[in-house]
Amino acid sequence: MWDGITTGLMTVLIPTNLFLVACGCIAGTFIGMLPGLGPISAIALMIPITYGFDPASGMILMAGVYYGAIFGGSTSSILVNAPGVAGTVATSFDGYPMAQQGKAGKALAIAAVASFSGGTIAAVMLMVAAPLLASVSLSFQSPDYLMLMILGLTAVSAFASRGNVVPALIATVIGLMLSTVGTDPSAGIQRFTFGSLDLVDGISFLLLAMAAFALSEALMTVLKGRSDPIAESRSASQNIGSLKIEKSEIREMVPVVARSSVVGFFVGVLPGAGATIASFLAYGMERAIAPAKEKLKFGHGSVRGLTAPETANNAACTGSFVPLLTLGIPGSGTTAVMLGALISYGVQPGPQLFQTNPQVFWAVIISMYIGNVILLILNLPLIPYIARLLALPRQLLIPMILFFSLIGVYLVSFNTFDIYMMTGFAIAAIFLRLFSYPMAPLILGFILGGMMEDNLQRTMTLYDGSLSFLWQRPVSLAISLILLVVVLVPVFRTLRGARPAAR
Amino acid sequence: MSIRGQIFAAMCLFVLFAAYGLQATTIPMFPGQEYEPFKPRTMPMILAMAGLLLCVVRIFQLWRMPQPESTVVLAEFDWKSASLLCAVMLAYGFAMTPLGFVAATSLFLAAGFFILGERRLWLLTGLPLLFSLAFYLLMTRVLGLYLSSGLWWNV
């Protein structure tokens, strides 16, 4: 492990890569602050820029963007009660009341320190967990991978909010369907191309990610009306107060950080759970175990209430890299976009990544730590200025976002057909969102579709079309049983919820 | 969104999955491939069936659901601006080759600013032109990428 850490440090600590982490953190913070644009959009917007980079540098930039976007989301949650991403909703419960009390600077500082601590503890846990899991997963075969992918896709939907499990599953199937467009990899037969040469190579992952997230989010902002939440941040950011945290507050934060980091990391490792569930879980846990007097402060600017979700969401972000780096299976929409980026660099994540590209594997882990340090020392003092940059009027900002999304895809293919296709997908994505069909499972399904078909083909060929692999291989059997639990829990929950309603 | 609207959406998706499944049956196969355990149409067929089943579950789920107290009213959305922006994006694609990157991007940005309510002349003309020119020079001269200069330029 120490060799790996040294390799990672040597890769990250070169000036170019340090510069990239810093740029990524600042760009991510800026994008994450924009209402509606989260880490997925931020990373998708960065992919075209990183095409010329070596894989390690590309991933380092993206890790910085990821952390920056999460931190940016927290900033808009605290300053204007407009969480940029779902993972920072819980931050606004106590962060915004603190800002209203004239302690926005303190709230931002607590959020930054909590994020830094959560990310750091989780990065250490990742260093230990990832190589262990990678060595175990070397024994995995096609049926195991197939079941693992089905589990990942199902878990993402199962962790959706109550009543949204079926729409999330439908979105996953749509994503898988889109992945079948183009030339079939096994027989070389064209599928769903309708004779169009532009579709022979299939749909580009970047195109779909940009259309489903960046474009559709920008258009949703237009659709939802003419209010300008960004402009509010200008007045909020002009007087943020002192950034100083008192000693008593630090003492209060320490145990919360320790508990929430562990919760966040393990929730993040679970496929589909991610930062949102982690932050709510940590917030709920802290409120439950807080003394009665402290409990009353929750929702009114509690230091514990702000520290817990901020620590947990950053720890979960780090945890979500475990399945991506060790199994090659993303556990969240953001890591799915990162997987697409890695594949486009010619790097195949999975257990072999640890052996074939150790510099990428360790550089990503180390860059997370460096990203956290940079966020703390660079972003925090810059927050008032970055928030002022957001005072760009909406009528100028949205066309710019549309332009960067369109041109980002066009510069890869130089094919105007991609612009038409993106517009079409963005319109479809808007309608799906309006009818409560989430986009993250769709992109996850699309990314995993090709790998899933590949593993399904090998499994079917190996077992001559029989489903006996489900019980013949112990790993597949174990995953199948977990899958069964994941599927049955929401069904049980729905039935239990329906019974009292019927009474 | 109202329950009726949600059911309509689920039905539309049902039709989409059915059409996908039907299209999957037309995927050609090599002679003898029909006897293999895995064919190019296997995965699409599984997905079509899964999609259809999920749509049926969704429709039944919605059928039993009480009408929510507050629903999103589509009519309150700014459809005009969003539709115009979509049209401008399509037009941008069409204009890229004949007009060239600089002219097409300037027009795209100016139209976007205008649709969203910007009326200051220098922001509608100067900013898009300067921005697209700077971006064009950065891409072509610094990064060495090709961007269309337009058919009219070649003439």
Side-chain angles (χ1 to χ4, degrees), chain A residues 5 42 57 125 138 169 182 189 220 234 238 318 340 351 360 378 384 391 414 421 441 453 461 465 486 493:
Chain A
I5 295 171
S57 301
M125 290 165 86
L138 274 172
L169 282 170
I189 288 168
M220 281 296 276
R234 179 167 29 192
Q238 270 165 1
T318 308
V360 177
L378 194 70
F414 295 99
M421 201 152 55
E453 187 169 10
T461 313
V486 168
R493 223 170 41 176

Side-chain angles (χ1 to χ4, degrees), chain A residues 95-456:
Chain A
Y96 186 59
M98 270 179 111
Q100 281 183 314
Q101 292 160 16
K103 294 189 276 187
K106 181 175 281 188
L108 286 170
I110 291 173
V113 171
S115 301
F116 168 76
S117 316
T120 306
I121 295 171
V124 174
M125 290 165 86
L126 176 68
M127 277 183 199
V128 179
L132 279 177
L133 193 59
S135 56
V136 171
S137 60
L138 274 172
S139 62
F140 281 23
Q141 289 181 6
S142 290
D144 310 328
Y145 272 112
L146 175 69
M147 292 314 295
L148 209 55
M149 284 174 201
I150 297 174
L151 173 67
L153 291 176
T154 316
V156 168
S157 310
F159 279 113
S161 58
R162 189 175 282 194
N164 277 339
V165 176
V166 180
L169 282 170
I170 292 176
T172 310
V173 175
I174 296 174
L176 289 166
M177 268 168 55
L178 290 172
S179 75
T180 61
V181 175
T183 309
D184 162 49
S186 57
I189 288 168
Q190 286 182 25
R191 298 184 297 192
F192 309 107
T193 58
F194 306 102
S196 166
L197 280 177
D198 295 303
L199 288 172
V200 168
D201 286 336
I203 298 163
S204 141
F205 136 78
L206 180 63
L207 186 154
L208 193 66
M210 288 283 207
F213 292 100
L215 271 189
S216 76
E217 274 164 8
L219 289 172
M220 281 296 276
T221 313
V222 175
L223 266 181
K224 280 183 178 168
R226 299 185 177 280
S227 65
D228 194 353
I230 298 162
E232 290 172 32
S233 69
R234 179 167 29 192
S235 56
S237 64
Q238 270 165 1
N239 185 22
I240 63 165
S242 166
L243 294 170
K244 199 179 167 196
I245 309 173
E246 304 293 331
K247 270 185 186 166
S248 60
E249 287 164 338
I250 294 175
R251 273 199 297 275
E252 204 178 342
M253 283 170 70
V254 171
V256 181
V257 164
R259 286 190 291 266
S260 305
S261 302
V262 177
V263 169
F265 180 79
F266 285 107
V267 173
V269 172
L270 297 176
T276 313
I277 291 177
S279 59
F280 277 100
L281 203 65
Y283 186 84
M285 187 182 79
E286 283 306 322
R287 196 170 52 179
I289 62 169
K293 194 180 159 195
E294 187 63 34
K295 209 177 272 187
L296 293 173
K297 288 187 192 167
F298 275 76
H300 303 286
S302 159
V303 173
R304 291 183 188 207
L306 175 60
T307 309
E310 266 306 295
T311 310
N313 72 25
N314 255 46
C317 292
T318 308
S320 68
F321 277 85
V322 174
L324 172 72
L325 293 174
T326 56
L327 304 167
I329 297 170
S332 64
T334 316
T335 43
V337 176
M338 286 212 176
L339 172 67
L342 271 176
I343 294 170
S344 66
Y345 299 144
V347 175
Q348 182 63 52
Q352 269 87 21
L353 178 72
F354 188 49
Q355 289 163 349
T356 54
N357 286 74
Q359 75 283 6
V360 177
F361 184 90
W362 287 104
V364 172
I365 294 176
I366 300 293
S367 66
M368 285 176 192
Y369 186 76
I370 305 285
N372 279 308
V373 176
I374 285 177
L375 266 181
L376 192 68
I377 59 172
L378 194 70
N379 267 24
L380 192 57
L382 287 179
I383 281 294
Y385 307 101
I386 297 176
R388 263 175 218 163
L389 275 177
L390 291 176
L392 254 175
R394 190 187 75 130
Q395 66 265 30
L396 301 182
L397 199 63
I398 288 173
M400 285 291 185
I401 294 172
L402 297 180
F403 165 74
F404 279 114
S405 309
L406 292 173
I407 210 68
V409 173
Y410 176 78
L411 285 177
V412 176
S413 63
F414 295 99
N415 185 355
T416 49
F417 181 77
D418 283 358
I419 295 179
Y420 314 142
M421 201 152 55
M422 267 182 94
T423 312
F425 279 135
I427 294 168
I430 286 171
F431 279 99
L432 285 173
R433 275 160 175 247
L434 286 174
F435 289 102
S436 315
Y437 293 91
M439 285 297 108
L442 187 145
I443 205 82
L444 202 59
F446 181 79
I447 295 273
L448 288 182
M451 282 189 265
M452 216 168 123
E453 187 169 10
D454 193 33
N455 282 296
L456 177 68

Side-chain angles (χ1 to χ4, degrees), chain A residues 473-497:
Chain A
R473 285 195 54 77
V475 180
S476 295
L477 179 65
I479 300 169
S480 307
L481 290 174
I482 298 170
L483 180 65
L484 208 63
V485 173
V486 168
V487 171
L488 288 180
V489 165
V491 174
F492 178 70
R493 223 170 41 176
T494 313
L495 287 176
R496 212 174 56 169

Side-chain angles (χ1 to χ4, degrees), chain A residues 163 166-167 173 177 180 184 187 189 191-192 222-223 226 395 399 403 407 414 416 419-420 434-435 437 456-457, chain B residues 1 5-6 9 17 20 23 28 30 38 40 47 58 77-78 81 89 92-94 101 105 113 116 118 131 146:
Chain A
V166 180
V173 175
M177 268 168 55
T180 61
D184 162 49
I189 288 168
R191 298 184 297 192
F192 309 107
V222 175
L223 266 181
R226 299 185 177 280
Q395 66 265 30
F403 165 74
I407 210 68
F414 295 99
T416 49
I419 295 179
Y420 314 142
L434 286 174
F435 289 102
Y437 293 91
L456 177 68
Q457 186 203 356
Chain B
M1 198 60 58
Q6 297 263 27
F17 287 126
Y20 176 82
Q23 186 67 29
F30 292 121
F38 188 88
L47 292 177
R58 179 71 180 150
F77 283 174
D78 187 2
S81 301
M89 286 196 284
Y92 183 48
F94 281 111
F101 175 82
T105 304
F113 296 163
L116 294 176
E118 184 57 64
F131 174 81
Y146 167 79

